[in-house]
Amino acid sequence: MSHSPPIRIAIADTAFIIRKGLRTLIAEHPHFECVAEASDAEHLVEALEKQHPQVLIVDHCCDDCFSLNVISKIKIDYPGLNILVISHEKTADEIKKIIGIGIKNYLLKDCDEREIIEAITCCAKGVKYFCGQIVDVILENELSVKEHCETGGITSRELE
């Protein structure tokens, strides 16, 4: 049986408690290793250059820190890096913006441990992963758009 090296993970979040929680969860999993963490974009770039993680767990939050522009630039500058966005953002428009820049892995901050572990594992393998809540929002939005776009045409018999 071959022993594969742990998945090297960097965490980027402005909130200390989120970084600490993710770091603790990662430490409890034998196939994961936290190699860096950053509370702002500048420190994140330094960590990526020094530590070369396989997975970046990044908070998509405010426009002045881990904004879509910052995440998009990291995606371009580090094309081999698998990015898992973790956010509190639940609106369909914001979710679409994140997916629109090429993010294939997205969790909400209130996901449970199982979903976080699955998301990290899928992200490391380059497999898409969206938590159940994200899928629900996307599907709900798509279904409501289709329902509103359908014309309620009536037949001539109904018109009579």
Side-chain angles (χ1 to χ4, degrees), residues 70-89:
V70 169
I71 296 170
S72 187
K73 181 166 175 19
I74 288 169
K75 230 178 129 18
I76 292 165
D77 293 346
Y78 302 90
L81 180 63
N82 295 307
I83 301 174
L84 168 60
V85 169
I86 186 166
S87 178
H88 66 276
E89 190 57 65

PDB file of all heavy atoms in Angstrom, residues 70-89:
ATOM      1  N   VAL A  70      -9.162  39.874  -6.807  1.00  0.00           N
ATOM      2  CA  VAL A  70      -8.011  39.228  -6.168  1.00  0.00           C
ATOM      3  C   VAL A  70      -8.019  37.729  -6.475  1.00  0.00           C
ATOM      4  O   VAL A  70      -7.001  37.154  -6.876  1.00  0.00           O
ATOM      5  CB  VAL A  70      -8.010  39.474  -4.645  1.00  0.00           C
ATOM      6  CG1 VAL A  70      -6.994  38.590  -3.940  1.00  0.00           C
ATOM      7  CG2 VAL A  70      -7.722  40.944  -4.354  1.00  0.00           C
ATOM      8  N   ILE A  71      -9.168  37.094  -6.306  1.00  0.00           N
ATOM      9  CA  ILE A  71      -9.275  35.654  -6.558  1.00  0.00           C
ATOM     10  C   ILE A  71      -8.999  35.348  -8.026  1.00  0.00           C
ATOM     11  O   ILE A  71      -8.284  34.402  -8.354  1.00  0.00           O
ATOM     12  CB  ILE A  71     -10.653  35.114  -6.112  1.00  0.00           C
ATOM     13  CG1 ILE A  71     -10.810  35.272  -4.584  1.00  0.00           C
ATOM     14  CG2 ILE A  71     -10.825  33.647  -6.517  1.00  0.00           C
ATOM     15  CD1 ILE A  71     -12.213  35.010  -4.062  1.00  0.00           C
ATOM     16  N   SER A  72      -9.526  36.167  -8.911  1.00  0.00           N
ATOM     17  CA  SER A  72      -9.309  35.984 -10.346  1.00  0.00           C
ATOM     18  C   SER A  72      -7.826  36.120 -10.701  1.00  0.00           C
ATOM     19  O   SER A  72      -7.280  35.326 -11.479  1.00  0.00           O
ATOM     20  CB  SER A  72     -10.137  37.012 -11.116  1.00  0.00           C
ATOM     21  OG  SER A  72     -10.082  36.757 -12.483  1.00  0.00           O
ATOM     22  N   LYS A  73      -7.148  37.103 -10.115  1.00  0.00           N
ATOM     23  CA  LYS A  73      -5.718  37.289 -10.379  1.00  0.00           C
ATOM     24  C   LYS A  73      -4.912  36.099  -9.866  1.00  0.00           C
ATOM     25  O   LYS A  73      -3.988  35.627 -10.540  1.00  0.00           O
ATOM     26  CB  LYS A  73      -5.226  38.588  -9.732  1.00  0.00           C
ATOM     27  CG  LYS A  73      -3.753  38.860  -9.997  1.00  0.00           C
ATOM     28  CD  LYS A  73      -3.363  40.263  -9.660  1.00  0.00           C
ATOM     29  CE  LYS A  73      -1.896  40.568  -9.793  1.00  0.00           C
ATOM     30  NZ  LYS A  73      -1.054  39.727 -10.583  1.00  0.00           N
ATOM     31  N   ILE A  74      -5.261  35.580  -8.691  1.00  0.00           N
ATOM     32  CA  ILE A  74      -4.573  34.408  -8.143  1.00  0.00           C
ATOM     33  C   ILE A  74      -4.775  33.217  -9.080  1.00  0.00           C
ATOM     34  O   ILE A  74      -3.848  32.459  -9.346  1.00  0.00           O
ATOM     35  CB  ILE A  74      -5.062  34.107  -6.712  1.00  0.00           C
ATOM     36  CG1 ILE A  74      -4.506  35.170  -5.763  1.00  0.00           C
ATOM     37  CG2 ILE A  74      -4.653  32.702  -6.269  1.00  0.00           C
ATOM     38  CD1 ILE A  74      -5.110  35.165  -4.388  1.00  0.00           C
ATOM     39  N   LYS A  75      -5.987  33.079  -9.599  1.00  0.00           N
ATOM     40  CA  LYS A  75      -6.277  31.987 -10.542  1.00  0.00           C
ATOM     41  C   LYS A  75      -5.376  32.073 -11.777  1.00  0.00           C
ATOM     42  O   LYS A  75      -4.885  31.073 -12.264  1.00  0.00           O
ATOM     43  CB  LYS A  75      -7.749  32.067 -10.964  1.00  0.00           C
ATOM     44  CG  LYS A  75      -8.476  30.777 -10.835  1.00  0.00           C
ATOM     45  CD  LYS A  75      -9.903  30.946 -11.227  1.00  0.00           C
ATOM     46  CE  LYS A  75     -10.319  29.934 -12.228  1.00  0.00           C
ATOM     47  NZ  LYS A  75      -9.524  28.763 -12.385  1.00  0.00           N
ATOM     48  N   ILE A  76      -5.160  33.287 -12.255  1.00  0.00           N
ATOM     49  CA  ILE A  76      -4.320  33.495 -13.438  1.00  0.00           C
ATOM     50  C   ILE A  76      -2.840  33.288 -13.098  1.00  0.00           C
ATOM     51  O   ILE A  76      -2.112  32.611 -13.825  1.00  0.00           O
ATOM     52  CB  ILE A  76      -4.555  34.907 -14.021  1.00  0.00           C
ATOM     53  CG1 ILE A  76      -5.972  34.998 -14.605  1.00  0.00           C
ATOM     54  CG2 ILE A  76      -3.501  35.253 -15.070  1.00  0.00           C
ATOM     55  CD1 ILE A  76      -6.448  36.419 -14.877  1.00  0.00           C
ATOM     56  N   ASP A  77      -2.394  33.870 -11.987  1.00  0.00           N
ATOM     57  CA  ASP A  77      -0.982  33.805 -11.606  1.00  0.00           C
ATOM     58  C   ASP A  77      -0.533  32.420 -11.146  1.00  0.00           C
ATOM     59  O   ASP A  77       0.648  32.098 -11.226  1.00  0.00           O
ATOM     60  CB  ASP A  77      -0.678  34.826 -10.504  1.00  0.00           C
ATOM     61  CG  ASP A  77      -0.798  36.265 -10.988  1.00  0.00           C
ATOM     62  OD1 ASP A  77      -0.863  36.493 -12.208  1.00  0.00           O
ATOM     63  OD2 ASP A  77      -0.834  37.170 -10.120  1.00  0.00           O
ATOM     64  N   TYR A  78      -1.463  31.624 -10.636  1.00  0.00           N
ATOM     65  CA  TYR A  78      -1.149  30.277 -10.134  1.00  0.00           C
ATOM     66  C   TYR A  78      -2.108  29.266 -10.771  1.00  0.00           C
ATOM     67  O   TYR A  78      -3.007  28.742 -10.113  1.00  0.00           O
ATOM     68  CB  TYR A  78      -1.258  30.235  -8.591  1.00  0.00           C
ATOM     69  CG  TYR A  78      -0.350  31.216  -7.917  1.00  0.00           C
ATOM     70  CD1 TYR A  78      -0.775  32.513  -7.628  1.00  0.00           C
ATOM     71  CD2 TYR A  78       0.952  30.862  -7.591  1.00  0.00           C
ATOM     72  CE1 TYR A  78       0.070  33.428  -7.022  1.00  0.00           C
ATOM     73  CE2 TYR A  78       1.810  31.777  -6.986  1.00  0.00           C
ATOM     74  CZ  TYR A  78       1.362  33.049  -6.710  1.00  0.00           C
ATOM     75  OH  TYR A  78       2.213  33.950  -6.110  1.00  0.00           O
ATOM     76  N   PRO A  79      -1.927  28.995 -12.062  1.00  0.00           N
ATOM     77  CA  PRO A  79      -2.893  28.149 -12.782  1.00  0.00           C
ATOM     78  C   PRO A  79      -2.986  26.709 -12.260  1.00  0.00           C
ATOM     79  O   PRO A  79      -4.020  26.061 -12.426  1.00  0.00           O
ATOM     80  CB  PRO A  79      -2.387  28.182 -14.227  1.00  0.00           C
ATOM     81  CG  PRO A  79      -0.963  28.609 -14.141  1.00  0.00           C
ATOM     82  CD  PRO A  79      -0.840  29.449 -12.915  1.00  0.00           C
ATOM     83  N   GLY A  80      -1.968  26.217 -11.584  1.00  0.00           N
ATOM     84  CA  GLY A  80      -2.017  24.860 -11.048  1.00  0.00           C
ATOM     85  C   GLY A  80      -2.658  24.763  -9.671  1.00  0.00           C
ATOM     86  O   GLY A  80      -2.852  23.672  -9.141  1.00  0.00           O
ATOM     87  N   LEU A  81      -2.997  25.910  -9.105  1.00  0.00           N
ATOM     88  CA  LEU A  81      -3.574  25.952  -7.766  1.00  0.00           C
ATOM     89  C   LEU A  81      -5.079  25.693  -7.845  1.00  0.00           C
ATOM     90  O   LEU A  81      -5.785  26.325  -8.622  1.00  0.00           O
ATOM     91  CB  LEU A  81      -3.319  27.332  -7.146  1.00  0.00           C
ATOM     92  CG  LEU A  81      -3.853  27.585  -5.740  1.00  0.00           C
ATOM     93  CD1 LEU A  81      -3.191  26.652  -4.724  1.00  0.00           C
ATOM     94  CD2 LEU A  81      -3.621  29.048  -5.359  1.00  0.00           C
ATOM     95  N   ASN A  82      -5.559  24.759  -7.043  1.00  0.00           N
ATOM     96  CA  ASN A  82      -6.999  24.481  -6.969  1.00  0.00           C
ATOM     97  C   ASN A  82      -7.595  25.367  -5.884  1.00  0.00           C
ATOM     98  O   ASN A  82      -7.120  25.366  -4.753  1.00  0.00           O
ATOM     99  CB  ASN A  82      -7.234  23.005  -6.640  1.00  0.00           C
ATOM    100  CG  ASN A  82      -6.738  22.107  -7.753  1.00  0.00           C
ATOM    101  OD1 ASN A  82      -7.097  22.272  -8.901  1.00  0.00           O
ATOM    102  ND2 ASN A  82      -5.880  21.173  -7.398  1.00  0.00           N
ATOM    103  N   ILE A  83      -8.624  26.128  -6.249  1.00  0.00           N
ATOM    104  CA  ILE A  83      -9.195  27.121  -5.340  1.00  0.00           C
ATOM    105  C   ILE A  83     -10.579  26.696  -4.869  1.00  0.00           C
ATOM    106  O   ILE A  83     -11.455  26.388  -5.683  1.00  0.00           O
ATOM    107  CB  ILE A  83      -9.263  28.508  -6.011  1.00  0.00           C
ATOM    108  CG1 ILE A  83      -7.860  28.956  -6.424  1.00  0.00           C
ATOM    109  CG2 ILE A  83      -9.924  29.520  -5.089  1.00  0.00           C
ATOM    110  CD1 ILE A  83      -7.828  30.248  -7.231  1.00  0.00           C
ATOM    111  N   LEU A  84     -10.745  26.710  -3.558  1.00  0.00           N
ATOM    112  CA  LEU A  84     -12.025  26.453  -2.919  1.00  0.00           C
ATOM    113  C   LEU A  84     -12.460  27.758  -2.266  1.00  0.00           C
ATOM    114  O   LEU A  84     -11.809  28.244  -1.348  1.00  0.00           O
ATOM    115  CB  LEU A  84     -11.889  25.346  -1.864  1.00  0.00           C
ATOM    116  CG  LEU A  84     -13.048  25.135  -0.892  1.00  0.00           C
ATOM    117  CD1 LEU A  84     -14.334  24.780  -1.625  1.00  0.00           C
ATOM    118  CD2 LEU A  84     -12.693  24.065   0.124  1.00  0.00           C
ATOM    119  N   VAL A  85     -13.543  28.338  -2.773  1.00  0.00           N
ATOM    120  CA  VAL A  85     -14.077  29.563  -2.186  1.00  0.00           C
ATOM    121  C   VAL A  85     -15.031  29.169  -1.072  1.00  0.00           C
ATOM    122  O   VAL A  85     -15.873  28.289  -1.229  1.00  0.00           O
ATOM    123  CB  VAL A  85     -14.803  30.427  -3.247  1.00  0.00           C
ATOM    124  CG1 VAL A  85     -15.590  31.548  -2.594  1.00  0.00           C
ATOM    125  CG2 VAL A  85     -13.794  30.997  -4.237  1.00  0.00           C
ATOM    126  N   ILE A  86     -14.866  29.829   0.056  1.00  0.00           N
ATOM    127  CA  ILE A  86     -15.773  29.628   1.188  1.00  0.00           C
ATOM    128  C   ILE A  86     -16.294  31.004   1.562  1.00  0.00           C
ATOM    129  O   ILE A  86     -15.526  31.947   1.704  1.00  0.00           O
ATOM    130  CB  ILE A  86     -15.084  28.897   2.354  1.00  0.00           C
ATOM    131  CG1 ILE A  86     -16.085  28.578   3.445  1.00  0.00           C
ATOM    132  CG2 ILE A  86     -13.892  29.649   2.864  1.00  0.00           C
ATOM    133  CD1 ILE A  86     -15.574  27.585   4.471  1.00  0.00           C
ATOM    134  N   SER A  87     -17.607  31.130   1.652  1.00  0.00           N
ATOM    135  CA  SER A  87     -18.197  32.446   1.817  1.00  0.00           C
ATOM    136  C   SER A  87     -19.493  32.366   2.609  1.00  0.00           C
ATOM    137  O   SER A  87     -20.043  31.289   2.804  1.00  0.00           O
ATOM    138  CB  SER A  87     -18.473  33.036   0.429  1.00  0.00           C
ATOM    139  OG  SER A  87     -19.085  34.303   0.521  1.00  0.00           O
ATOM    140  N   HIS A  88     -19.979  33.500   3.014  1.00  0.00           N
ATOM    141  CA  HIS A  88     -21.296  33.588   3.621  1.00  0.00           C
ATOM    142  C   HIS A  88     -22.325  34.008   2.569  1.00  0.00           C
ATOM    143  O   HIS A  88     -23.503  34.059   2.830  1.00  0.00           O
ATOM    144  CB  HIS A  88     -21.288  34.592   4.783  1.00  0.00           C
ATOM    145  CG  HIS A  88     -21.046  35.991   4.322  1.00  0.00           C
ATOM    146  ND1 HIS A  88     -19.777  36.479   4.107  1.00  0.00           N
ATOM    147  CD2 HIS A  88     -21.899  36.992   4.004  1.00  0.00           C
ATOM    148  CE1 HIS A  88     -19.864  37.721   3.675  1.00  0.00           C
ATOM    149  NE2 HIS A  88     -21.127  38.059   3.601  1.00  0.00           N
ATOM    150  N   GLU A  89     -21.842  34.302   1.374  1.00  0.00           N
ATOM    151  CA  GLU A  89     -22.670  34.870   0.305  1.00  0.00           C
ATOM    152  C   GLU A  89     -23.614  33.828  -0.288  1.00  0.00           C
ATOM    153  O   GLU A  89     -23.168  32.831  -0.833  1.00  0.00           O
ATOM    154  CB  GLU A  89     -21.762  35.446  -0.780  1.00  0.00           C
ATOM    155  CG  GLU A  89     -22.486  36.259  -1.806  1.00  0.00           C
ATOM    156  CD  GLU A  89     -23.265  37.416  -1.208  1.00  0.00           C
ATOM    157  OE1 GLU A  89     -22.658  38.326  -0.650  1.00  0.00           O
ATOM    158  OE2 GLU A  89     -24.507  37.384  -1.317  1.00  0.00           O
TER     159      GLU A  89
END
